[in-house]
Amino acid sequence: TSSTAIGRREPDGRLEVTSPFVSVGDDAGGGRLRTVLGDRVELSPGCGFLLLDRADRVVKVGEKRLSLPEMERAVAAHASVDEAALLVLEAAGERRVHAVVAPSPAGQALLERGGRRVLRSALAQHLAESFDPVLLPRAWRFVDALPRDAQDKVPHAALRALFADRPALRPTAPTCRYGRAQGCR
């Protein structure tokens, strides 16, 4: 058949498209082209997919693009940081950058003297020199060491779990105290 097929490439979950309608170079549609895109997806039952995020870790926050690895390097360059990892999560109905930081001995001393707020403020001020304010991390977790798996990689799920206790800043859908009789839908 000459239909287009979509799939999810493992292990990174990137969208894979196979189509006879796309050609590269001298192949004017004579064959089927398989393309792996930079977006991660979750396949839906039937023939659709849910767009998750970028596999290359370039994300869009507040209508601006951010390279998470670039910001991670900037955080890690601060004297108070041994290593850092960033992720984007929904908070208050918007996509926000969240930071997990393993403080250096100097950072640990700053934490003991001034607390989390002082270290968080110092790191945010450091990042504000290079990044738009909308891109700065809104939530911070300070840990002894970044969580790592058997391959010495920092699993996204382990980072996300560090923010699982974060309460929603506002409800995602309005609630109605009075029911339909009072004009609520």
PDB file of all heavy atoms in Angstrom, residues 55-74:
ATOM      1  N   ALA A  55      12.974  15.283  22.127  1.00  0.00           N
ATOM      2  CA  ALA A  55      13.970  14.298  22.528  1.00  0.00           C
ATOM      3  C   ALA A  55      15.331  14.946  22.712  1.00  0.00           C
ATOM      4  O   ALA A  55      16.155  14.474  23.481  1.00  0.00           O
ATOM      5  CB  ALA A  55      14.061  13.174  21.494  1.00  0.00           C
ATOM      6  N   ASP A  56      15.578  16.042  22.003  1.00  0.00           N
ATOM      7  CA  ASP A  56      16.872  16.706  22.095  1.00  0.00           C
ATOM      8  C   ASP A  56      16.947  17.659  23.284  1.00  0.00           C
ATOM      9  O   ASP A  56      17.922  18.368  23.452  1.00  0.00           O
ATOM     10  CB  ASP A  56      17.209  17.429  20.796  1.00  0.00           C
ATOM     11  CG  ASP A  56      16.163  18.472  20.411  1.00  0.00           C
ATOM     12  OD1 ASP A  56      15.235  18.732  21.204  1.00  0.00           O
ATOM     13  OD2 ASP A  56      16.288  19.022  19.313  1.00  0.00           O
ATOM     14  N   ARG A  57      15.917  17.683  24.094  1.00  0.00           N
ATOM     15  CA  ARG A  57      15.841  18.479  25.305  1.00  0.00           C
ATOM     16  C   ARG A  57      15.834  19.977  25.046  1.00  0.00           C
ATOM     17  O   ARG A  57      16.258  20.763  25.876  1.00  0.00           O
ATOM     18  CB  ARG A  57      16.937  18.076  26.293  1.00  0.00           C
ATOM     19  CG  ARG A  57      16.812  16.601  26.677  1.00  0.00           C
ATOM     20  CD  ARG A  57      17.682  16.178  27.812  1.00  0.00           C
ATOM     21  NE  ARG A  57      17.282  16.852  29.031  1.00  0.00           N
ATOM     22  CZ  ARG A  57      18.152  17.410  29.874  1.00  0.00           C
ATOM     23  NH1 ARG A  57      19.430  17.345  29.644  1.00  0.00           N
ATOM     24  NH2 ARG A  57      17.729  18.005  30.966  1.00  0.00           N
ATOM     25  N   VAL A  58      15.350  20.372  23.871  1.00  0.00           N
ATOM     26  CA  VAL A  58      15.040  21.769  23.615  1.00  0.00           C
ATOM     27  C   VAL A  58      13.547  21.887  23.863  1.00  0.00           C
ATOM     28  O   VAL A  58      12.753  21.178  23.255  1.00  0.00           O
ATOM     29  CB  VAL A  58      15.398  22.197  22.181  1.00  0.00           C
ATOM     30  CG1 VAL A  58      14.887  23.599  21.890  1.00  0.00           C
ATOM     31  CG2 VAL A  58      16.900  22.111  21.971  1.00  0.00           C
ATOM     32  N   VAL A  59      13.175  22.742  24.788  1.00  0.00           N
ATOM     33  CA  VAL A  59      11.783  22.840  25.207  1.00  0.00           C
ATOM     34  C   VAL A  59      11.273  24.258  24.977  1.00  0.00           C
ATOM     35  O   VAL A  59      12.055  25.195  24.820  1.00  0.00           O
ATOM     36  CB  VAL A  59      11.615  22.453  26.695  1.00  0.00           C
ATOM     37  CG1 VAL A  59      11.994  21.000  26.923  1.00  0.00           C
ATOM     38  CG2 VAL A  59      12.429  23.366  27.592  1.00  0.00           C
ATOM     39  N   LYS A  60       9.972  24.382  24.990  1.00  0.00           N
ATOM     40  CA  LYS A  60       9.344  25.684  24.849  1.00  0.00           C
ATOM     41  C   LYS A  60       8.660  26.007  26.173  1.00  0.00           C
ATOM     42  O   LYS A  60       7.825  25.245  26.657  1.00  0.00           O
ATOM     43  CB  LYS A  60       8.339  25.665  23.706  1.00  0.00           C
ATOM     44  CG  LYS A  60       7.961  27.024  23.223  1.00  0.00           C
ATOM     45  CD  LYS A  60       7.233  26.927  21.907  1.00  0.00           C
ATOM     46  CE  LYS A  60       7.011  28.300  21.343  1.00  0.00           C
ATOM     47  NZ  LYS A  60       6.278  28.240  20.086  1.00  0.00           N
ATOM     48  N   VAL A  61       9.053  27.128  26.755  1.00  0.00           N
ATOM     49  CA  VAL A  61       8.489  27.591  28.020  1.00  0.00           C
ATOM     50  C   VAL A  61       8.130  29.057  27.835  1.00  0.00           C
ATOM     51  O   VAL A  61       8.986  29.860  27.444  1.00  0.00           O
ATOM     52  CB  VAL A  61       9.511  27.429  29.174  1.00  0.00           C
ATOM     53  CG1 VAL A  61       8.954  28.016  30.458  1.00  0.00           C
ATOM     54  CG2 VAL A  61       9.897  25.978  29.363  1.00  0.00           C
ATOM     55  N   GLY A  62       6.890  29.401  28.090  1.00  0.00           N
ATOM     56  CA  GLY A  62       6.479  30.794  27.965  1.00  0.00           C
ATOM     57  C   GLY A  62       6.761  31.372  26.592  1.00  0.00           C
ATOM     58  O   GLY A  62       7.223  32.498  26.480  1.00  0.00           O
ATOM     59  N   GLU A  63       6.513  30.594  25.540  1.00  0.00           N
ATOM     60  CA  GLU A  63       6.715  31.013  24.150  1.00  0.00           C
ATOM     61  C   GLU A  63       8.182  31.247  23.793  1.00  0.00           C
ATOM     62  O   GLU A  63       8.490  31.859  22.779  1.00  0.00           O
ATOM     63  CB  GLU A  63       5.888  32.273  23.824  1.00  0.00           C
ATOM     64  CG  GLU A  63       4.399  32.091  24.003  1.00  0.00           C
ATOM     65  CD  GLU A  63       3.831  30.959  23.153  1.00  0.00           C
ATOM     66  OE1 GLU A  63       4.196  30.852  21.973  1.00  0.00           O
ATOM     67  OE2 GLU A  63       3.021  30.182  23.682  1.00  0.00           O
ATOM     68  N   LYS A  64       9.105  30.773  24.633  1.00  0.00           N
ATOM     69  CA  LYS A  64      10.530  30.890  24.343  1.00  0.00           C
ATOM     70  C   LYS A  64      11.152  29.506  24.343  1.00  0.00           C
ATOM     71  O   LYS A  64      10.743  28.633  25.084  1.00  0.00           O
ATOM     72  CB  LYS A  64      11.212  31.768  25.389  1.00  0.00           C
ATOM     73  CG  LYS A  64      10.659  33.184  25.403  1.00  0.00           C
ATOM     74  CD  LYS A  64      11.527  34.099  26.182  1.00  0.00           C
ATOM     75  CE  LYS A  64      10.979  35.494  26.185  1.00  0.00           C
ATOM     76  NZ  LYS A  64      11.206  36.216  24.975  1.00  0.00           N
ATOM     77  N   ARG A  65      12.160  29.319  23.502  1.00  0.00           N
ATOM     78  CA  ARG A  65      12.854  28.037  23.426  1.00  0.00           C
ATOM     79  C   ARG A  65      14.024  28.034  24.395  1.00  0.00           C
ATOM     80  O   ARG A  65      14.717  29.031  24.557  1.00  0.00           O
ATOM     81  CB  ARG A  65      13.360  27.782  22.016  1.00  0.00           C
ATOM     82  CG  ARG A  65      12.237  27.557  21.045  1.00  0.00           C
ATOM     83  CD  ARG A  65      12.715  26.793  19.831  1.00  0.00           C
ATOM     84  NE  ARG A  65      11.622  26.585  18.906  1.00  0.00           N
ATOM     85  CZ  ARG A  65      10.721  25.626  19.000  1.00  0.00           C
ATOM     86  NH1 ARG A  65      10.773  24.788  20.001  1.00  0.00           N
ATOM     87  NH2 ARG A  65       9.759  25.503  18.110  1.00  0.00           N
ATOM     88  N   LEU A  66      14.232  26.863  25.016  1.00  0.00           N
ATOM     89  CA  LEU A  66      15.311  26.710  25.982  1.00  0.00           C
ATOM     90  C   LEU A  66      15.995  25.377  25.761  1.00  0.00           C
ATOM     91  O   LEU A  66      15.338  24.340  25.683  1.00  0.00           O
ATOM     92  CB  LEU A  66      14.753  26.760  27.419  1.00  0.00           C
ATOM     93  CG  LEU A  66      15.722  26.375  28.535  1.00  0.00           C
ATOM     94  CD1 LEU A  66      16.860  27.380  28.643  1.00  0.00           C
ATOM     95  CD2 LEU A  66      14.987  26.249  29.860  1.00  0.00           C
ATOM     96  N   SER A  67      17.306  25.398  25.696  1.00  0.00           N
ATOM     97  CA  SER A  67      18.098  24.175  25.673  1.00  0.00           C
ATOM     98  C   SER A  67      18.378  23.809  27.128  1.00  0.00           C
ATOM     99  O   SER A  67      19.138  24.502  27.819  1.00  0.00           O
ATOM    100  CB  SER A  67      19.407  24.407  24.920  1.00  0.00           C
ATOM    101  OG  SER A  67      20.299  23.338  25.177  1.00  0.00           O
ATOM    102  N   LEU A  68      17.745  22.729  27.598  1.00  0.00           N
ATOM    103  CA  LEU A  68      17.962  22.306  28.987  1.00  0.00           C
ATOM    104  C   LEU A  68      19.435  21.998  29.262  1.00  0.00           C
ATOM    105  O   LEU A  68      19.950  22.388  30.314  1.00  0.00           O
ATOM    106  CB  LEU A  68      17.058  21.122  29.330  1.00  0.00           C
ATOM    107  CG  LEU A  68      15.566  21.445  29.410  1.00  0.00           C
ATOM    108  CD1 LEU A  68      14.752  20.181  29.644  1.00  0.00           C
ATOM    109  CD2 LEU A  68      15.275  22.476  30.474  1.00  0.00           C
ATOM    110  N   PRO A  69      20.152  21.298  28.333  1.00  0.00           N
ATOM    111  CA  PRO A  69      21.580  21.056  28.601  1.00  0.00           C
ATOM    112  C   PRO A  69      22.391  22.347  28.762  1.00  0.00           C
ATOM    113  O   PRO A  69      23.295  22.415  29.599  1.00  0.00           O
ATOM    114  CB  PRO A  69      22.042  20.262  27.376  1.00  0.00           C
ATOM    115  CG  PRO A  69      20.810  19.584  26.880  1.00  0.00           C
ATOM    116  CD  PRO A  69      19.704  20.580  27.141  1.00  0.00           C
ATOM    117  N   GLU A  70      22.051  23.371  27.995  1.00  0.00           N
ATOM    118  CA  GLU A  70      22.774  24.648  28.110  1.00  0.00           C
ATOM    119  C   GLU A  70      22.562  25.270  29.494  1.00  0.00           C
ATOM    120  O   GLU A  70      23.498  25.747  30.139  1.00  0.00           O
ATOM    121  CB  GLU A  70      22.304  25.609  27.017  1.00  0.00           C
ATOM    122  CG  GLU A  70      22.988  26.952  27.029  1.00  0.00           C
ATOM    123  CD  GLU A  70      22.466  27.897  25.968  1.00  0.00           C
ATOM    124  OE1 GLU A  70      21.803  27.439  24.997  1.00  0.00           O
ATOM    125  OE2 GLU A  70      22.702  29.107  26.097  1.00  0.00           O
ATOM    126  N   MET A  71      21.301  25.270  29.964  1.00  0.00           N
ATOM    127  CA  MET A  71      21.031  25.832  31.286  1.00  0.00           C
ATOM    128  C   MET A  71      21.633  24.953  32.385  1.00  0.00           C
ATOM    129  O   MET A  71      22.118  25.468  33.386  1.00  0.00           O
ATOM    130  CB  MET A  71      19.537  26.041  31.518  1.00  0.00           C
ATOM    131  CG  MET A  71      19.251  26.761  32.844  1.00  0.00           C
ATOM    132  SD  MET A  71      17.509  27.062  33.175  1.00  0.00           S
ATOM    133  CE  MET A  71      17.277  28.596  32.280  1.00  0.00           C
ATOM    134  N   GLU A  72      21.616  23.634  32.201  1.00  0.00           N
ATOM    135  CA  GLU A  72      22.253  22.748  33.189  1.00  0.00           C
ATOM    136  C   GLU A  72      23.735  23.074  33.327  1.00  0.00           C
ATOM    137  O   GLU A  72      24.264  23.107  34.444  1.00  0.00           O
ATOM    138  CB  GLU A  72      22.068  21.282  32.787  1.00  0.00           C
ATOM    139  CG  GLU A  72      20.676  20.763  33.040  1.00  0.00           C
ATOM    140  CD  GLU A  72      20.437  19.382  32.472  1.00  0.00           C
ATOM    141  OE1 GLU A  72      21.236  18.903  31.641  1.00  0.00           O
ATOM    142  OE2 GLU A  72      19.417  18.772  32.853  1.00  0.00           O
ATOM    143  N   ARG A  73      24.400  23.310  32.196  1.00  0.00           N
ATOM    144  CA  ARG A  73      25.827  23.680  32.248  1.00  0.00           C
ATOM    145  C   ARG A  73      26.017  25.003  32.988  1.00  0.00           C
ATOM    146  O   ARG A  73      26.963  25.166  33.767  1.00  0.00           O
ATOM    147  CB  ARG A  73      26.416  23.765  30.844  1.00  0.00           C
ATOM    148  CG  ARG A  73      26.648  22.411  30.202  1.00  0.00           C
ATOM    149  CD  ARG A  73      27.427  22.506  28.903  1.00  0.00           C
ATOM    150  NE  ARG A  73      26.711  23.219  27.855  1.00  0.00           N
ATOM    151  CZ  ARG A  73      25.826  22.667  27.034  1.00  0.00           C
ATOM    152  NH1 ARG A  73      25.546  21.378  27.140  1.00  0.00           N
ATOM    153  NH2 ARG A  73      25.233  23.393  26.105  1.00  0.00           N
ATOM    154  N   ALA A  74      25.100  25.951  32.764  1.00  0.00           N
ATOM    155  CA  ALA A  74      25.196  27.248  33.445  1.00  0.00           C
ATOM    156  C   ALA A  74      25.001  27.094  34.955  1.00  0.00           C
ATOM    157  O   ALA A  74      25.720  27.704  35.738  1.00  0.00           O
ATOM    158  CB  ALA A  74      24.172  28.222  32.867  1.00  0.00           C
TER     159      ALA A  74
END
